[in-house]
């Protein structure tokens, strides 16, 4: 111990010239043997983009990059199409490094430890994909575990079935978590990384409002622990089929109400301006963030000035898709002039439902996993996005462990024959939009249109009423209160048919999957006065 202290004292008293100078430069090279280290014969890669979240530089003919040495930032390589990064011990792609010259604020979950940065080389491995192959992306909104038990639900409900279906291969070409990786307890990050790494898929993370260091004094320090585990909070990533930009759009405002709002920082606009200038205007561009870019009814939940500035930057691009989460509901939004979007076509935002659904709540099933459906009645799960070689996309919602269900129905089980036809069949069509065609027929009759309604999902409302009536708790946490979804349809149930059972069939025409359907049965009985 004394010898160790003596060595420390010598180091502290050594002249500054004896220390290696801090370095914010390095080389990007082709990692031909895949070991992550530059070996003999592994050539430098020219023209690769490197950024500090504000500035953007390209590697030279010698693969070298250099950026100004600032006190606190994260440097990252923008993965070029046709390449892959090595995987770190945490299962995440190795594409960033922190530059932290001095201690940051003391934070409960650790923040970023200071280190004197040395020059850094980044490895890229060339990958070959079949010509014209699509890109399949897994999209998780709000896994949001509060405890280790919830982490177990995430593993068993979401990840394990995907691992089983993958059969030892990677589950997708790319993965995105759209924020709220955890629910305030940032000590759960390593466990979440370990589980997500089972998917053997390059995985990217956006920051959510539950990923903040809440003891930070301001927004500028609120993602230090997130950055320690996941790297930059704003960055880009390129695949042959699309370019992805991941944005931190949570502005932390400690001491104010609300304590956060959707928006972007000046450095992010600088990065976007520099990066978008490198892209062809007809390339598919995907922006992934946590808080939706649209406002909730009656209040500004994303700063309008920031949205208008962002949309002005995106206007020249003809193929833009926005992916967000946060709301724990499933919905689509088509931005237009009222939102500040002035493009030739409405700008599509898919607001993805939550992996945790209604916060891992509700009665457990036979496997011990909570019901977890969301307030709009959509079962918890995850989405997939598939991009063609030309950049066209298709979207799909997958119910956790739920097979291929695209909708569910709610209808009465028995009615009096000849009664006034006031009862209805409801269809909750998870991926539907306002213009989705939804039809039903009874007893093999003609198909008739169903009416889109702004009512709570009656199936979830029934669970709410059961919770109200229960004398003992039905679960650790009850399911969320039912709210009107954007994707609920209703049709009248006839009572003038013959006595006995009758089948109700519902079909909906999904924009990407085509026809999807479900069915149920009700019974008509004759009753004397």
């Amino acid at each position: 111990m004394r010898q160790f202290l003596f060595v420390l004292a010598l180091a502290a008293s050594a002249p500054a010239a004896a220390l290696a100078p801090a370095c914010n430069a390095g080389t990007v090279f082709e990692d031909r043997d895949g070991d992550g280290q530059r070996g003999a014969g592994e050539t430098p890669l020219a023209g690769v983009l490197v950024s500090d979240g504000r500035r953007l530089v390209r590697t030279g003919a010698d693969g070298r990059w250099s950026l100004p040495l600032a006190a606190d930032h994260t440097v990252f390589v923008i993965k070029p199409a046709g390449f892959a990064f090595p995987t770190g011990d945490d299962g995440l792609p190795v594409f960033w490094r922190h530059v932290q010259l001095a201690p940051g604020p003391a934070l409960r979950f650790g923040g970023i430890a200071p280190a004197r940065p040395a020059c850094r080389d980044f490895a890229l491995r060339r990958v070959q994909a079949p010509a014209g192959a699509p890109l399949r992306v897994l999209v998780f909104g709000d896994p949001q575990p509060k405890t280790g038990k919830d982490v177990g639900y995430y593993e068993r409900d979401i990840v394990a079935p995907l691992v089983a279906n993958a059969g030892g291969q990677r589950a997708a070409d790319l993965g995105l978590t759209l924020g709220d990786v955890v629910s305030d307890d940032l000590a759960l990050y390593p466990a979440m990384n370990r589980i997500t790494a089972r998917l053997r898929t390059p995985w990217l993370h956006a920051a959510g409002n539950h990923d903040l260091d809440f003891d930070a004094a301001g927004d500028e320090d609120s993602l230090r622990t997130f950055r320690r585990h996941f790297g930059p909070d704003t960055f880009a990533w390129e695949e042959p089929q699309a370019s992805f930009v991941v944005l931190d759009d949570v502005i932390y405002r400690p001491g104010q109400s609300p304590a956060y709002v959707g928006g972007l920082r000046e450095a992010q606009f600088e990065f976007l301006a520099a990066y978008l200038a490198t892209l062809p205007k007809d390339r598919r561009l995907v922006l992934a963030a946590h808080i939706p870019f649209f406002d909730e009814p009656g209040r500004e939940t994303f700063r309008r000035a920031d949205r208008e500035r962002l949309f002005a930057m995106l206007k020249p691009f003809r193929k833009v898709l926005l992916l967000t989460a946060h709301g724990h509901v499933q919905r689509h939004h088509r931005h237009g002039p009222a939102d500040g979007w002035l493009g030739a076509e409405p700008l599509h935002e898919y607001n993805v439902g939550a992996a945790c659904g209604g916060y891992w709540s509700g009665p457990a099933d036979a496997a011990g996993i909570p019901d977890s459906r969301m307030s709009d009645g959509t079962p918890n799960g995850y989405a997939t996005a598939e991009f063609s070689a030309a950049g066209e996309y298709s979207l799909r919602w997958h119910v956790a462990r739920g097979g291929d269900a695209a909708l569910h129905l709610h209808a009465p089980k028995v009615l009096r024959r000849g009664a006034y036809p006031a009862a209805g069949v409801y269809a909750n069509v998870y991926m539907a939009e306002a213009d989705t065609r939804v039809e039903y027929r009874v007893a093999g009759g003609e198909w008739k249109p169903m009416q889109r309604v702004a009512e709570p999902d009656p199936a979830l409302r029934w669970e709410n009423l059961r919770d109200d009536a229960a004398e003992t708790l039905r679960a650790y946490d009850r399911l969320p209160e039912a709210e009107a979804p954007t994707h609920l349809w209703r049709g009248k149930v006839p009572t003038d048919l013959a006595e006995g059972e009758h089948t109700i069939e519902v079909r909906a025409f999904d924009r990407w999957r085509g026809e999807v359907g479900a069915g149920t049965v009700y019974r008509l009985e004759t009753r004397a006065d």
Side-chain angles (χ1 to χ4, degrees):
M1 182 64 180
R2 288 180 180 176
Q3 184 178 9
F4 175 70
L5 292 174
F6 177 70
V7 171
L8 280 182
L10 282 178
S13 62
L19 297 174
C23 176
N24 200 20
T27 302
V28 179
F29 67 94
E30 183 176 350
D31 183 20
R32 292 177 176 173
D33 59 9
D35 67 353
Q37 303 296 321
R38 189 175 183 186
E42 292 187 325
T43 57
L45 291 171
V48 177
L49 293 169
V50 184
S51 177
D52 58 6
R54 182 188 296 266
R55 306 167 189 86
L56 199 65
V57 297
R58 285 190 185 273
T59 56
D62 58 357
R64 293 282 297 172
W65 64 271
S66 178
L67 284 160
L69 184 64
D72 173 21
H73 63 272
T74 301
V75 173
F76 58 91
V77 175
I78 296 176
K79 189 191 78 63
F83 287 87
F85 290 109
T87 300
D89 293 340
D90 57 4
L92 299 179
V94 180
F95 69 102
W96 52 269
R97 56 87 66 89
H98 295 311
V99 176
Q100 180 75 26
L101 299 182
L107 298 170
R108 175 188 174 193
F109 293 105
I112 299 172
R116 192 173 186 84
C119 293
R120 172 64 189 269
D121 293 345
F122 286 98
L124 279 168
R125 178 173 48 85
R126 199 177 298 272
V127 294
Q128 297 292 333
L135 178 78
R136 186 170 184 269
V137 183
L138 284 168
V139 185
F140 292 177
D142 302 79
Q144 206 164 336
K146 303 177 293 297
T147 63
K149 189 171 187 178
D150 289 352
V151 172
Y153 295 147
Y154 169 71
E155 181 170 27
R156 292 194 292 142
D157 203 31
I158 303 294
V159 173
L162 282 165
V163 171
N165 290 339
Q169 304 300 310
R170 65 182 185 181
D173 301 305
L174 184 65
L176 285 169
T177 294
L178 300 177
D180 287 359
V181 184
V182 297
S183 186
D184 302 343
D185 185 355
L186 310 189
L188 297 174
Y189 281 154
M192 291 295 287
N193 274 343
R194 175 182 56 79
I195 291 165
T196 305
R198 294 184 58 200
L199 297 168
R200 303 180 65 180
T201 296
W203 210 272
L204 312 178
H205 294 81
N209 55 291
H210 287 281
D211 294 314
L212 302 176
D213 286 296
F214 287 109
D215 51 345
D219 182 62
E220 64 277 5
D221 291 321
S222 64
L223 286 177
R224 285 182 173 274
T225 302
F226 176 91
R227 286 169 53 208
R228 183 175 89 239
H229 290 277
F230 303 113
D233 57 62
T234 295
F235 60 96
W237 180 283
E238 295 185 350
E239 298 290 349
Q241 303 85 347
S243 292
F244 295 82
V245 177
V246 178
L247 294 169
D248 162 35
D249 69 344
V250 182
I251 305 297
Y252 183 42
R253 309 186 303 181
Q256 299 185 48
S257 182
Y260 64 88
V261 68
L264 299 174
R265 302 180 300 276
E266 188 61 31
Q268 294 174 293
F269 283 115
E270 291 183 30
F271 169 73
L272 282 168
Y275 177 63
L276 294 180
T278 71
L279 297 179
K281 298 301 184 287
D282 60 350
R283 180 164 170 77
R284 170 60 62 189
L285 178 60
V286 182
L287 269 64
H290 181 63
I291 294 180
F293 295 100
F294 56 84
D295 286 329
E296 298 293 348
R299 57 196 177 103
E300 186 182 58
T301 48
F302 194 96
R303 296 191 302 207
R304 185 174 184 89
D306 291 357
R307 179 171 61 241
E308 291 178 348
R309 186 176 175 185
L310 173 65
F311 283 1
M313 299 173 75
L314 298 176
K315 182 183 175 183
F317 293 88
R318 294 188 286 277
K319 298 178 179 178
V320 183
L321 172 66
L322 309 178
L323 298 174
T324 56
H326 184 56
H328 294 253
V329 293
Q330 178 96 277
R331 52 192 169 177
H332 299 268
H333 188 88
R334 302 278 173 171
H335 291 275
D339 302 309
W341 173 251
L342 301 177
E345 300 291 335
L347 174 58
H348 182 200
E349 178 172 349
Y350 174 32
N351 189 217
V352 182
C356 75
Y359 309 92
W360 301 114
S361 64
D365 61 13
I369 298 176
D371 182 317
S372 300
R373 76 186 83 176
M374 293 174 256
S375 62
D376 67 349
T378 306
N380 77 304
Y382 60 92
T384 52
E386 188 169 289
F387 299 89
S388 72
E392 300 305 314
Y393 65 89
S394 62
L395 301 171
R396 188 166 184 163
W397 181 251
H398 302 262
V399 175
R401 298 178 298 136
D404 212 29
L407 68 157
H408 68 252
L409 307 181
H410 181 87
K413 295 183 181 300
V414 59
L415 294 169
R416 180 179 64 81
R417 183 171 181 266
Y420 183 79
V425 54
Y426 289 82
N428 192 326
V429 187
Y430 311 139
M431 287 293 286
E433 299 187 58
D435 62 351
T436 299
R437 179 177 151 206
V438 184
E439 300 173 335
Y440 79 121
R441 68 178 180 182
V442 180
E446 293 183 2
W447 290 101
K448 298 179 180 179
M450 299 183 78
Q451 180 183 2
R452 184 166 171 256
V453 294
E455 302 176 24
D457 183 316
L460 178 54
R461 184 72 185 121
W462 167 240
E463 293 297 329
N464 294 156
L465 293 173
R466 291 181 66 189
D467 282 332
D468 290 346
E471 296 289 342
T472 58
L473 292 174
R474 300 175 63 220
Y476 181 80
D477 281 326
R478 57 184 284 159
L479 286 164
E481 292 292 313
E483 297 179 359
T486 60
H487 42 77
L488 187 69
W489 275 258
R490 184 183 188 277
K492 289 184 177 181
V493 178
T495 59
D496 58 354
L497 303 177
E499 189 172 12
E501 284 193 342
H502 301 281
T503 299
I504 302 174
E505 299 169 86
V506 173
R507 66 182 184 185
F509 294 86
D510 184 278
R511 190 178 299 274
W512 300 284
R513 290 178 62 179
E515 183 176 336
V516 294
T520 188
V521 172
Y522 75 108
R523 188 174 73 256
L524 289 175
E525 291 185 358
T526 301
R527 291 286 299 269
D529 289 341

